[in-house]
């Protein structure tokens, strides 16, 4: 199983187009200085949760984890679009989890 953390503000486009690198999808990346041509995926659901919280704090919306039917290493990037048919499930995150996940970035 592979996961991608994001915000529900991007969900409609992701379900329609798949996971597309920001330079192709025109996602706002004003604070992102590198890897603009990549989509981040992980086999660790906790890492995806942390990135979902980070995305929601940066862009707004509520954090979500997208579960994918592809394999990935612990943390990897891809310049390829991940098609919507690879999406197995969208997991909406409860509020109590977001505080814990955000704390992973504070240490």
């Amino acid at each position: 199983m592979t996961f991608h953390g994001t915000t529900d503000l991007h969900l409609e486009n992701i379900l329609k187009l798949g996971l597309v690198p920001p330079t192709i999808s025109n996602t706002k990346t004003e604070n992102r200085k590198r890897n603009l041509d990549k989509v981040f995926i992980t086999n660790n659901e906790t890492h995806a949760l942390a990135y979902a919280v980070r995305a929601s704090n940066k862009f707004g919306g509520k954090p979500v984890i997208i579960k994918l039917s592809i394999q990935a290493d612990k943390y990897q990037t891809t310049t390829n679009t991940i098609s919507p048919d690879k999406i197995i499930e969208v997991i909406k995150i409860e509020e109590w989890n977001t505080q814990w996940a955000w704390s992973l970035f504070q240490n």
Side-chain angles (χ1 to χ4, degrees):
M1 236 15 85
T2 299
F3 306 95
H4 175 80
T6 191
T7 170
D8 64 354
L9 295 180
H10 300 306
L11 201 50
E12 184 178 342
N13 281 338
I14 290 171
L15 293 174
K16 188 185 324 179
L17 304 172
L19 291 167
V20 181
T23 53
I24 296 171
S25 66
N26 295 319
T27 299
K28 291 182 184 178
T29 57
E30 60 272 358
N31 294 325
R32 193 166 163 187
K33 309 239 187 294
R34 56 190 171 103
N35 295 318
L36 293 173
D37 61 339
K38 295 183 171 52
V39 172
F40 294 86
I41 54 177
T42 180
N43 68 358
N44 185 312
E45 192 171 4
T46 302
H47 289 166
L49 172 61
Y51 281 98
V53 171
R54 183 183 217 182
S56 71
N57 285 332
K58 182 176 179 180
F59 299 114
K62 296 182 179 172
V64 295
I65 297 173
I66 298 171
K67 189 186 293 187
L68 303 163
S69 66
I70 59 174
Q71 295 300 315
D73 293 330
K74 183 175 181 180
Y75 180 78
Q76 91 183 49
T77 61
T78 180
T79 56
N80 299 323
T81 295
I82 300 171
S83 67
D85 67 327
K86 302 296 183 193
I87 297 171
I88 297 173
E89 179 182 6
V90 174
I91 304 166
K92 296 185 179 185
I93 307 304
E94 298 297 325
E95 189 63 32
W96 66 271
N97 283 335
T98 64
Q99 296 304 318
W100 170 80
W102 183 244
S103 73
L104 295 174
F105 284 102
Q106 305 305 313
N107 297 327

